[in-house]
Amino acid sequence: MSADFHRELGLIIGASRVLVAADDVAPFCTDWRGRYSGNALCVALPGSTEEVAAVVRACVAAGVAVVPQGGNTGLCGGATPTGGEVVVSLRRMNRIRAVDADNNSITVEAGCTLHAVQEAAREADRLFPLSLAAEGSATIGGNLSTNAGGVQVLRYGNARELTLGLEVVLADGRIWNGLRALRKDNTGYDLKHLFIGAEGTLGLITAATLKLFPRPRTHATAWVAVPDPASAVRLLGRLRDAAGDNVTAFEIVGRPALELVLRHIPNARDPLLGKPAWQVLIELGGSSDMGGDLSATLERALEAAAEDGIVNDAVLATSEAQTAALWALRENVSEAQKIEGISIKHDIAVPVSCIAEFIARADAALRAAFPEVRIVCFGHIGDGNLHYNQSRSDAQSNDEFIAQTGAVNRIVHDLVHGLGGSISAEHGLGQLKREEVLRYKSQTEMDLMRAVKQALDPRGLMNPGKLLSKVGAGALHADPASL
Amino acid sequence: MSADFHRELGLIIGASRVLVAADDVAPFCTDWRGRYSGNALCVALPGSTEEVAAVVRACVAAGVAVVPQGGNTGLCGGATPTGGEVVVSLRRMNRIRAVDADNNSITVEAGCTLHAVQEAAREADRLFPLSLAAEGSATIGGNLSTNAGGVQVLRYGNARELTLGLEVVLADGRIWNGLRALRKDNTGYDLKHLFIGAEGTLGLITAATLKLFPRPRTHATAWVAVPDPASAVRLLGRLRDAAGDNVTAFEIVGRPALELVLRHIPNARDPLLGKPAWQVLIELGGSSDMGGDLSATLERALEAAAEDGIVNDAVLATSEAQTAALWALRENVSEAQKIEGISIKHDIAVPVSCIAEFIARADAALRAAFPEVRIVCFGHIGDGNLHYNQSRSDAQSNDEFIAQTGAVNRIVHDLVHGLGGSISAEHGLGQLKREEVLRYKSQTEMDLMRAVKQALDPRGLMNPGKLLSKVGAGALHADPASL
């Protein structure tokens, strides 16, 4: 059957665009962290929406499942086949279809890298604000399918909030053209939100119309030592009072995270003396006519905060090079951490008002259970989103520690849940948290999710085994008398 | 059956909260414009989420349909019963459940008026930015169910974009608690977006967690004559370059709209000489520490625009009283129009870049077909959203004209559709546009909408006859071979 099926796909997209040889297929079958791998029947590289639709129809007819894949930079195994699927890579669909500067919108194909979208916006003197470490290889289709976050969510929102319209190949191979470039449209259910963040389990995003923004013309950047996370939250409140939405980034970096960067990243140096326990990277961005005072605004706010004991020390960048150096300290945390070995990672969110309590309680509980744990804590405190990772510093003991992942997750996730938080703030569920989430979502919510899945993909061929577990399925429409 | 059923509802919520007498029921059975009316079996006034759920379960068990109703201020008949339903009024559910200033969030029950939510935010020194004419009586549940817009969407987004979490009574009477106060949560399908803008057809929103913002501390307001709508769009682009997101409102008012206000609204006077054809109301809002220059920024931008011929004349408000007077000119257009009699109303959106083309072509086509038509055009040009209404100025001839509503709609809506626009930007579909939208949505999109409806409300008891027409239903999952 395989040979016939490959030939059929080849007739649709060209035989050279159907990868079958093991060496050709392998790179598409393992995630970039090497954590997940599976076998695929083949890899299809369609070049147009019509080709994607025809490939999906062929898969449906053959009863073969489909795994959509963009840049393959996901962190939860959402784009890795689990066995016998067709990987549909969107890489060849990388055209910028339209830029409309007056409407502040851009229409792009799913296979465009995030960086390519940013550049196309810049050429039109506009900003596409989604920004994250993998932007050079991550594709916009993957960003939308995982509702990616990053460092400017505080000001501009997640990928979801940046989306005006979508084009999607549905699970039956039909094309839904929802590429509307409108700020307002209330003509029925807003279907795009079904597919954003659905990790390819409801359909395959082939193109998107995205919001653009005026480009900030000036910046002010500071690296600030704060006594504790509670002070960081208070400082954020004051900054937003003083500078409103000119606060474009507010990132916390704990001492252990910074130490890793100082140890492993060339030319990294601590901007402040005295090894402060907690630091925040702050960026204000403004328009040309009003941005002249950004540095002064930031300085005044920091001085007032220092008088009130919320800020211990601070340095303001006075050049682009300094700004870049401060950002590098934040952006290299993951890289530096990787050099030291494996860690147990958490991508959690709680209400911003609960961040300090979360850190205090989680730190204490982990240290009680695992006295030698090293806690690397950093991230988007302005969104209530922390990357909160655990390891031990020597390799041998660390292997033992990693074996306790379940117990560590339980401590962290139970606490997150108790504070009304999320166990996956910006990375999605994929394969990694598909089962874990069952502990925390209500049966009603899981039933709703399954009802949506059943409605849009009744054959279960869209990225099976991702996001939704097969465990614990119930019926949405129970007999009301039994409730 | 009725008496038994009423008694059963009375056991759940108290007999006095089940309105049965014709006089008691009548106000809930007609929309405020008197355009739609129907009969209801009764009106239920539950006081808690549990009571709403029990009422819905009783309705499901009896096979009776449910019409959720908030302030009954909708414009499309979405909250009016069509015959034999139970109207579930949320008015008694009007508690502010929680305000979290540090997290910039508020949790409110669906029956809170929009004004009450704004006030609760203000008391916490925060802004809830949704703002529209009916805010004194419209409820937040209705705002969310119709994804309401208003005058600050340009800066803060629609009701949808202001929502963090929802509590919903589902069509089977179960309660989904999705009241998360998180900026980031990627743990599966984002179910809240199913219910926002669904006009009560998928479930009944009982509470919401909403975003708050820093309160702007300073404002600058101007009333500006522009040569034409294209100049207005260019002016908006320049203002956003100069002032970024400090541009909080940008509203266009055509001459005929302003003339109605000057004729009918006490104390209204034209701020500018020479009867300009087009004017825009501009508001900038800023934070305390950076807002001192807002007026200067606005003045500089307007002066530069005047030199380039984009602006003909302008007046800046120099007092709160002047600001209020300028806003009153914009906000009283609908009221003034009503005094002159009925008009054919359109709530349309096109890409902002197409606004000028839309107005030019629609005006020309309407004048060609109806030489004596009066076109009242005003609205949220910054969102690409116009209120574009037609009538004749003398009452007798106007009746003849109103009889041509279908033909007028066809001209306007065909043009909107051709420009990639929406025939309902911020009012929803309700009963008014339920059939009209079938002309413009693809079969695929309608099938998707019906699949969602079928999945979440398989018995069809949630607000039937609203949003979705029963005409033209197809199957979502056709045999792929037949596509």
Side-chain angles (χ1 to χ4, degrees):
Chain A
M1 171 262 190
S2 266
D4 281 354
F5 181 64
H6 294 151
R7 204 171 305 120
E8 190 186 342
L9 293 185
L11 288 174
I12 298 167
I13 58 175
S16 67
R17 272 81 189 241
V18 182
L19 310 183
V20 178
D23 282 0
D24 295 340
V25 172
F28 296 85
C29 293
T30 303
D31 73 316
W32 74 279
R33 287 165 73 193
R35 193 158 179 167
Y36 294 95
S37 58
N39 299 309
L41 200 60
C42 62
V43 176
L45 291 152
S48 69
T49 305
E50 290 69 27
E51 286 187 4
V52 173
V55 166
V56 169
R57 288 199 296 271
C59 289
V60 171
V64 173
V66 168
V67 178
Q69 190 176 99
N72 197 17
T73 59
L75 295 166
C76 300
T80 310
T82 57
E85 304 99 325
V86 172
V87 173
V88 177
S89 167
L90 279 294
R91 288 185 191 180
R92 289 181 58 230
M93 288 192 59
N94 60 0
R95 287 184 311 137
I96 305 290
R97 287 195 191 163
V99 183
D100 183 343
D102 275 346
N103 192 49
N104 280 296
S105 64
I106 187 169
T107 300
V108 302
E109 292 184 344
C112 290
T113 63
L114 174 51
H115 182 73
V117 178
Q118 293 166 344
E119 285 303 301
R122 187 192 308 269
E123 279 167 27
D125 198 27
R126 292 291 182 276
L127 172 74
F128 181 64
L130 192 67
S131 176
L132 40 85
E135 63 196 31
S137 43
T139 62
I140 194 71
N143 295 151
L144 292 171
S145 292
T146 56
N147 186 22
V151 293
Q152 297 202 94
V153 172
L154 180 65
R155 164 64 189 81
Y156 296 100
N158 294 299
R160 180 185 300 282
E161 294 166 278
L162 301 173
T163 307
L164 294 172
L166 290 183
E167 179 187 81
V168 177
V169 171
L170 304 177
D172 66 0
R174 285 202 280 178
I175 298 166
W176 171 55
N177 183 346
L179 286 175
R180 295 178 196 124
L182 303 174
R183 253 70 187 173
K184 286 182 172 176
D185 178 25
N186 273 311
T187 53
Y189 307 143
D190 197 335
L191 300 168
K192 66 176 177 284
H193 289 296
L194 284 170
F195 302 101
I196 299 169
E199 304 186 29
T201 62
L202 300 178
L204 201 157
I205 295 172
T206 49
T209 300
L210 305 166
K211 292 183 190 171
L212 300 180
F213 292 81
R215 288 216 301 141
R217 308 294 174 176
T218 57
H219 294 275
T221 310
W223 184 266
V224 179
V226 292
D228 48 43
S231 299
V233 171
R234 288 177 63 198
L235 178 59
L236 174 62
R238 283 159 168 248
L239 276 172
R240 293 187 75 182
D241 260 354
D245 265 348
N246 295 97
V247 185
T248 53
F250 194 90
E251 300 278 311
I252 197 164
V253 181
R255 190 79 221 163
L258 182 58
E259 287 296 335
L260 291 175
V261 174
L262 298 175
R263 191 176 312 147
H264 295 293
I265 304 298
N267 303 319
R269 60 172 208 85
D270 195 337
L272 300 173
L273 298 175
K275 296 188 183 299
W278 294 99
Q279 28 264 307
V280 287
L281 175 62
I282 300 167
E283 185 153 296
L284 306 192
S287 56
S288 55
D289 202 51
M290 304 183 60
D293 297 313
L294 282 181
S295 293
T297 298
L298 183 51
E299 207 165 341
R300 272 196 300 277
L302 292 174
E303 275 168 12
E307 280 168 27
D308 296 339
I310 300 171
V311 161
N312 290 337
D313 199 359
V315 56
L316 268 81
T318 56
S319 68
E320 285 301 308
Q322 272 193 321
T323 299
L326 295 180
W327 270 102
L329 293 175
R330 162 65 185 86
E331 285 175 339
N332 280 310
V333 174
S334 292
E335 189 60 32
Q337 190 175 24
K338 205 172 171 186
I339 293 170
E340 291 244 335
I342 299 171
S343 57
I344 303 171
K345 299 195 172 198
H346 302 100
D347 164 42
I348 65 98
V350 293
V352 177
S353 48
C354 299
I355 278 275
E357 180 182 352
F358 166 76
I359 293 174
R361 290 176 59 188
D363 279 12
L366 288 168
R367 287 190 210 291
F370 306 99
E372 290 165 73
V373 67
R374 175 170 64 189
I375 299 174
V376 170
C377 175
F378 63 102
H380 322 294
I381 189 172
D383 311 317
N385 175 200
L386 293 177
H387 301 302
Y388 186 77
N389 305 335
Q390 288 75 41
S391 62
R392 281 192 185 144
S393 38
D394 69 296
Q396 198 180 348
S397 151
N398 196 43
D399 287 350
E400 281 167 35
F401 176 74
I402 298 296
Q404 308 285 317
T405 297
V408 173
N409 283 347
R410 195 61 48 243
I411 290 172
V412 174
H413 290 167
D414 280 0
L415 198 47
V416 165
H417 182 67
L419 292 170
S422 168
I423 66 163
S424 189
E426 57 175 11
H427 295 166
L429 298 176
Q431 302 179 59
L432 180 63
K433 297 179 186 169
R434 180 189 62 191
E435 311 298 327
E436 183 76 358
V437 82
L438 295 175
R439 292 185 162 268
Y440 302 111
K441 295 238 185 230
S442 67
Q443 184 69 46
T444 303
E445 181 153 341
M446 292 308 303
D447 290 350
L448 275 170
M449 284 172 54
R450 288 202 184 86
V452 169
K453 172 74 173 176
Q454 177 65 25
L456 269 72
D457 179 26
R459 296 180 185 89
L461 295 179
M462 296 306 295
N463 212 9
K466 317 295 166 57
L467 188 142
L468 275 175
S469 166
K470 278 159 190 160
V471 178
L476 181 59
H477 297 283
D479 179 357
S482 73
L483 291 172
Chain B
M1 172 267 187
S2 265
D4 282 353
F5 182 64
H6 294 152
R7 205 169 306 120
E8 189 185 344
L9 294 184
L11 288 174
I12 297 168
I13 58 175
S16 67
R17 272 82 188 241
V18 183
L19 310 183
V20 178
D23 282 0
D24 295 339
V25 172
F28 297 85
C29 293
T30 303
D31 71 317
W32 73 279
R33 287 165 73 193
R35 192 156 180 168
Y36 293 96
S37 59
N39 298 309
L41 200 59
C42 63
V43 176
L45 291 152
S48 70
T49 304
E50 290 67 27
E51 287 188 2
V52 173
V55 166
V56 169
R57 287 199 297 270
C59 290
V60 171
V64 173
V66 168
V67 178
Q69 191 177 98
N72 196 16
T73 59
L75 295 165
C76 300
T80 310
T82 57
E85 303 99 325
V86 172
V87 174
V88 177
S89 167
L90 279 294
R91 288 184 192 181
R92 289 182 59 231
M93 288 193 60
N94 60 0
R95 288 184 309 137
I96 304 290
R97 288 197 191 161
V99 183
D100 183 344
D102 275 346
N103 193 48
N104 280 296
S105 63
I106 187 170
T107 299
V108 302
E109 292 184 343
C112 291
T113 63
L114 174 50
H115 182 73
V117 179
Q118 293 166 344
E119 285 303 301
R122 188 192 307 266
E123 280 168 27
D125 198 28
R126 292 291 183 274
L127 173 74
F128 181 64
L130 192 67
S131 176
L132 40 86
E135 62 197 27
S137 44
T139 63
I140 194 71
N143 296 152
L144 292 171
S145 292
T146 57
N147 186 23
V151 294
Q152 296 204 94
V153 173
L154 179 66
R155 164 62 190 81
Y156 296 101
N158 294 300
R160 180 186 298 282
E161 295 166 279
L162 301 174
T163 307
L164 294 171
L166 291 182
E167 178 187 81
V168 178
V169 171
L170 304 178
D172 66 1
R174 284 202 281 177
I175 298 166
W176 172 55
N177 183 345
L179 286 176
R180 293 178 197 125
L182 303 173
R183 255 65 188 177
K184 287 181 170 174
D185 178 24
N186 273 309
T187 53
Y189 308 143
D190 197 336
L191 300 168
K192 65 177 177 284
H193 290 296
L194 284 169
F195 302 101
I196 300 169
E199 303 186 28
T201 62
L202 300 178
L204 201 157
I205 296 172
T206 49
T209 300
L210 305 166
K211 292 182 192 172
L212 300 179
F213 292 81
R215 288 216 301 139
R217 308 295 174 175
T218 58
H219 294 276
T221 309
W223 185 266
V224 178
V226 293
D228 48 44
S231 299
V233 171
R234 288 178 63 198
L235 178 59
L236 174 62
R238 282 160 169 251
L239 275 173
R240 293 188 74 183
D241 259 354
D245 266 348
N246 296 95
V247 185
T248 54
F250 194 91
E251 300 277 311
I252 198 164
V253 181
R255 190 79 220 162
L258 183 58
E259 287 295 337
L260 290 175
V261 175
L262 298 175
R263 192 175 312 146
H264 295 292
I265 305 297
N267 304 318
R269 60 174 208 84
D270 195 337
L272 299 174
L273 298 174
K275 296 187 184 297
W278 293 100
Q279 29 263 308
V280 286
L281 174 62
I282 301 167
E283 184 154 296
L284 307 192
S287 56
S288 56
D289 202 50
M290 305 182 60
D293 297 312
L294 282 180
S295 292
T297 298
L298 182 51
E299 206 166 342
R300 273 197 300 277
L302 292 174
E303 275 167 12
E307 280 169 25
D308 296 339
I310 300 171
V311 161
N312 288 340
D313 199 0
V315 55
L316 268 81
T318 55
S319 69
E320 285 302 307
Q322 271 194 321
T323 299
L326 295 179
W327 269 103
L329 293 174
R330 161 65 185 88
E331 286 176 338
N332 279 311
V333 173
S334 292
E335 190 60 33
Q337 191 176 24
K338 205 172 170 185
I339 294 170
E340 290 244 334
I342 298 171
S343 57
I344 303 171
K345 299 195 171 197
H346 301 98
D347 164 40
I348 65 98
V350 294
V352 177
S353 48
C354 298
I355 278 275
E357 179 182 352
F358 167 77
I359 294 174
R361 289 176 58 190
D363 279 12
L366 287 169
R367 288 190 209 292
F370 306 98
E372 290 165 74
V373 67
R374 175 170 65 186
I375 299 174
V376 171
C377 175
F378 64 102
H380 322 294
I381 189 172
D383 311 316
N385 175 199
L386 294 177
H387 301 302
Y388 186 77
N389 305 336
Q390 288 76 40
S391 61
R392 281 193 184 143
S393 38
D394 70 296
Q396 196 180 351
S397 152
N398 197 42
D399 286 350
E400 282 168 34
F401 177 73
I402 298 296
Q404 307 285 318
T405 297
V408 173
N409 283 347
R410 196 61 48 244
I411 289 172
V412 174
H413 291 166
D414 281 359
L415 196 49
V416 164
H417 183 67
L419 293 170
S422 168
I423 66 163
S424 188
E426 57 175 12
H427 296 166
L429 298 175
Q431 302 179 58
L432 180 64
K433 297 180 185 169
R434 181 188 60 191
E435 311 297 329
E436 183 76 357
V437 81
L438 294 174
R439 291 185 163 268
Y440 301 111
K441 294 238 185 231
S442 67
Q443 184 68 45
T444 303
E445 182 152 341
M446 292 308 302
D447 290 350
L448 274 170
M449 284 172 53
R450 288 201 184 88
V452 169
K453 172 75 172 175
Q454 177 65 26
L456 269 71
D457 179 25
R459 298 179 183 89
L461 295 179
M462 298 305 297
N463 212 8
K466 316 297 165 56
L467 189 144
L468 274 175
S469 166
K470 278 158 189 161
V471 179
L476 180 59
H477 296 284
D479 178 358
S482 73
L483 292 173

mmCIF file of all heavy atoms in Angstrom, chain A residues 346-366:
data_model
loop_
_atom_site.group_PDB
_atom_site.id
_atom_site.type_symbol
_atom_site.label_atom_id
_atom_site.label_comp_id
_atom_site.label_asym_id
_atom_site.label_seq_id
_atom_site.Cartn_x
_atom_site.Cartn_y
_atom_site.Cartn_z
ATOM 1 N N HIS A 346 9.644 23.779 33.846
ATOM 2 C CA HIS A 346 8.238 24.147 34.006
ATOM 3 C C HIS A 346 7.998 25.491 33.344
ATOM 4 O O HIS A 346 8.794 26.423 33.517
ATOM 5 C CB HIS A 346 7.863 24.225 35.491
ATOM 6 C CG HIS A 346 8.088 22.956 36.231
ATOM 7 N ND1 HIS A 346 9.200 22.753 37.009
ATOM 8 C CD2 HIS A 346 7.386 21.807 36.279
ATOM 9 C CE1 HIS A 346 9.153 21.524 37.522
ATOM 10 N NE2 HIS A 346 8.066 20.926 37.086
ATOM 11 N N ASP A 347 6.920 25.558 32.609
ATOM 12 C CA ASP A 347 6.512 26.789 31.926
ATOM 13 C C ASP A 347 5.150 27.146 32.500
ATOM 14 O O ASP A 347 4.120 26.737 31.993
ATOM 15 C CB ASP A 347 6.435 26.494 30.416
ATOM 16 C CG ASP A 347 5.671 27.547 29.644
ATOM 17 O OD1 ASP A 347 5.866 28.737 29.930
ATOM 18 O OD2 ASP A 347 4.885 27.168 28.746
ATOM 19 N N ILE A 348 5.177 27.847 33.610
ATOM 20 C CA ILE A 348 3.933 28.029 34.374
ATOM 21 C C ILE A 348 3.453 29.482 34.345
ATOM 22 O O ILE A 348 4.224 30.400 34.099
ATOM 23 C CB ILE A 348 4.118 27.592 35.852
ATOM 24 C CG1 ILE A 348 5.125 28.490 36.592
ATOM 25 C CG2 ILE A 348 4.580 26.152 35.926
ATOM 26 C CD1 ILE A 348 4.514 29.577 37.408
ATOM 27 N N ALA A 349 2.176 29.656 34.576
ATOM 28 C CA ALA A 349 1.623 31.000 34.768
ATOM 29 C C ALA A 349 0.706 30.998 35.976
ATOM 30 O O ALA A 349 -0.003 30.018 36.226
ATOM 31 C CB ALA A 349 0.847 31.454 33.540
ATOM 32 N N VAL A 350 0.753 32.083 36.713
ATOM 33 C CA VAL A 350 -0.210 32.342 37.792
ATOM 34 C C VAL A 350 -0.622 33.805 37.651
ATOM 35 O O VAL A 350 0.027 34.567 36.918
ATOM 36 C CB VAL A 350 0.399 32.090 39.197
ATOM 37 C CG1 VAL A 350 0.711 30.613 39.400
ATOM 38 C CG2 VAL A 350 1.628 32.947 39.437
ATOM 39 N N PRO A 351 -1.702 34.222 38.322
ATOM 40 C CA PRO A 351 -1.981 35.663 38.316
ATOM 41 C C PRO A 351 -0.739 36.422 38.791
ATOM 42 O O PRO A 351 -0.031 35.946 39.687
ATOM 43 C CB PRO A 351 -3.146 35.792 39.314
ATOM 44 C CG PRO A 351 -3.833 34.458 39.253
ATOM 45 C CD PRO A 351 -2.718 33.460 39.057
ATOM 46 N N VAL A 352 -0.486 37.577 38.192
ATOM 47 C CA VAL A 352 0.710 38.343 38.541
ATOM 48 C C VAL A 352 0.754 38.601 40.051
ATOM 49 O O VAL A 352 1.818 38.585 40.667
ATOM 50 C CB VAL A 352 0.735 39.675 37.753
ATOM 51 C CG1 VAL A 352 1.926 40.521 38.162
ATOM 52 C CG2 VAL A 352 0.772 39.384 36.257
ATOM 53 N N SER A 353 -0.397 38.791 40.641
ATOM 54 C CA SER A 353 -0.488 39.063 42.078
ATOM 55 C C SER A 353 -0.068 37.867 42.934
ATOM 56 O O SER A 353 0.136 38.013 44.130
ATOM 57 C CB SER A 353 -1.922 39.466 42.436
ATOM 58 O OG SER A 353 -2.840 38.556 41.851
ATOM 59 N N CYS A 354 0.059 36.690 42.329
ATOM 60 C CA CYS A 354 0.438 35.478 43.070
ATOM 61 C C CYS A 354 1.862 35.022 42.789
ATOM 62 O O CYS A 354 2.301 33.989 43.313
ATOM 63 C CB CYS A 354 -0.510 34.325 42.722
ATOM 64 S SG CYS A 354 -2.225 34.626 43.135
ATOM 65 N N ILE A 355 2.586 35.756 41.958
ATOM 66 C CA ILE A 355 3.933 35.339 41.569
ATOM 67 C C ILE A 355 4.844 35.167 42.790
ATOM 68 O O ILE A 355 5.540 34.151 42.932
ATOM 69 C CB ILE A 355 4.547 36.378 40.594
ATOM 70 C CG1 ILE A 355 4.038 36.126 39.173
ATOM 71 C CG2 ILE A 355 6.057 36.369 40.646
ATOM 72 C CD1 ILE A 355 4.808 35.107 38.398
ATOM 73 N N ALA A 356 4.847 36.154 43.667
ATOM 74 C CA ALA A 356 5.764 36.102 44.804
ATOM 75 C C ALA A 356 5.416 34.916 45.707
ATOM 76 O O ALA A 356 6.305 34.174 46.159
ATOM 77 C CB ALA A 356 5.700 37.418 45.590
ATOM 78 N N GLU A 357 4.130 34.725 45.945
ATOM 79 C CA GLU A 357 3.706 33.604 46.769
ATOM 80 C C GLU A 357 4.091 32.276 46.109
ATOM 81 O O GLU A 357 4.576 31.354 46.780
ATOM 82 C CB GLU A 357 2.183 33.648 46.986
ATOM 83 C CG GLU A 357 1.694 32.483 47.838
ATOM 84 C CD GLU A 357 0.179 32.475 48.033
ATOM 85 O OE1 GLU A 357 -0.493 33.455 47.629
ATOM 86 O OE2 GLU A 357 -0.329 31.475 48.587
ATOM 87 N N PHE A 358 3.905 32.202 44.805
ATOM 88 C CA PHE A 358 4.265 30.961 44.118
ATOM 89 C C PHE A 358 5.750 30.654 44.308
ATOM 90 O O PHE A 358 6.121 29.531 44.669
ATOM 91 C CB PHE A 358 3.945 31.028 42.612
ATOM 92 C CG PHE A 358 4.602 29.912 41.853
ATOM 93 C CD1 PHE A 358 4.089 28.623 41.919
ATOM 94 C CD2 PHE A 358 5.777 30.119 41.143
ATOM 95 C CE1 PHE A 358 4.717 27.570 41.271
ATOM 96 C CE2 PHE A 358 6.415 29.071 40.490
ATOM 97 C CZ PHE A 358 5.879 27.787 40.560
ATOM 98 N N ILE A 359 6.595 31.637 44.058
ATOM 99 C CA ILE A 359 8.040 31.388 44.141
ATOM 100 C C ILE A 359 8.419 30.972 45.564
ATOM 101 O O ILE A 359 9.158 29.999 45.772
ATOM 102 C CB ILE A 359 8.847 32.626 43.681
ATOM 103 C CG1 ILE A 359 8.619 32.862 42.176
ATOM 104 C CG2 ILE A 359 10.338 32.454 43.971
ATOM 105 C CD1 ILE A 359 9.256 34.134 41.638
ATOM 106 N N ALA A 360 7.908 31.697 46.552
ATOM 107 C CA ALA A 360 8.259 31.389 47.938
ATOM 108 C C ALA A 360 7.822 29.974 48.323
ATOM 109 O O ALA A 360 8.604 29.192 48.881
ATOM 110 C CB ALA A 360 7.613 32.422 48.872
ATOM 111 N N ARG A 361 6.591 29.638 47.998
ATOM 112 C CA ARG A 361 6.073 28.328 48.411
ATOM 113 C C ARG A 361 6.701 27.191 47.613
ATOM 114 O O ARG A 361 7.004 26.117 48.159
ATOM 115 C CB ARG A 361 4.552 28.303 48.299
ATOM 116 C CG ARG A 361 3.893 29.201 49.362
ATOM 117 C CD ARG A 361 2.392 29.271 49.204
ATOM 118 N NE ARG A 361 1.764 27.960 49.298
ATOM 119 C CZ ARG A 361 0.469 27.735 49.030
ATOM 120 N NH1 ARG A 361 -0.304 28.757 48.654
ATOM 121 N NH2 ARG A 361 -0.038 26.527 49.126
ATOM 122 N N ALA A 362 6.887 27.408 46.304
ATOM 123 C CA ALA A 362 7.466 26.338 45.477
ATOM 124 C C ALA A 362 8.921 26.114 45.862
ATOM 125 O O ALA A 362 9.372 24.966 46.003
ATOM 126 C CB ALA A 362 7.342 26.682 43.995
ATOM 127 N N ASP A 363 9.680 27.194 46.058
ATOM 128 C CA ASP A 363 11.068 27.061 46.493
ATOM 129 C C ASP A 363 11.144 26.255 47.795
ATOM 130 O O ASP A 363 11.938 25.310 47.924
ATOM 131 C CB ASP A 363 11.698 28.447 46.733
ATOM 132 C CG ASP A 363 12.183 29.116 45.447
ATOM 133 O OD1 ASP A 363 11.832 28.616 44.353
ATOM 134 O OD2 ASP A 363 12.894 30.135 45.534
ATOM 135 N N ALA A 364 10.307 26.649 48.747
ATOM 136 C CA ALA A 364 10.362 25.998 50.063
ATOM 137 C C ALA A 364 9.999 24.517 49.954
ATOM 138 O O ALA A 364 10.685 23.646 50.530
ATOM 139 C CB ALA A 364 9.412 26.714 51.026
ATOM 140 N N ALA A 365 8.952 24.217 49.203
ATOM 141 C CA ALA A 365 8.514 22.824 49.097
ATOM 142 C C ALA A 365 9.569 21.971 48.380
ATOM 143 O O ALA A 365 9.832 20.821 48.773
ATOM 144 C CB ALA A 365 7.176 22.749 48.356
ATOM 145 N N LEU A 366 10.174 22.534 47.347
ATOM 146 C CA LEU A 366 11.192 21.774 46.615
ATOM 147 C C LEU A 366 12.435 21.553 47.464
ATOM 148 O O LEU A 366 13.018 20.466 47.478
ATOM 149 C CB LEU A 366 11.560 22.500 45.308
ATOM 150 C CG LEU A 366 10.489 22.447 44.208
ATOM 151 C CD1 LEU A 366 10.825 23.426 43.082
ATOM 152 C CD2 LEU A 366 10.364 21.025 43.649
#
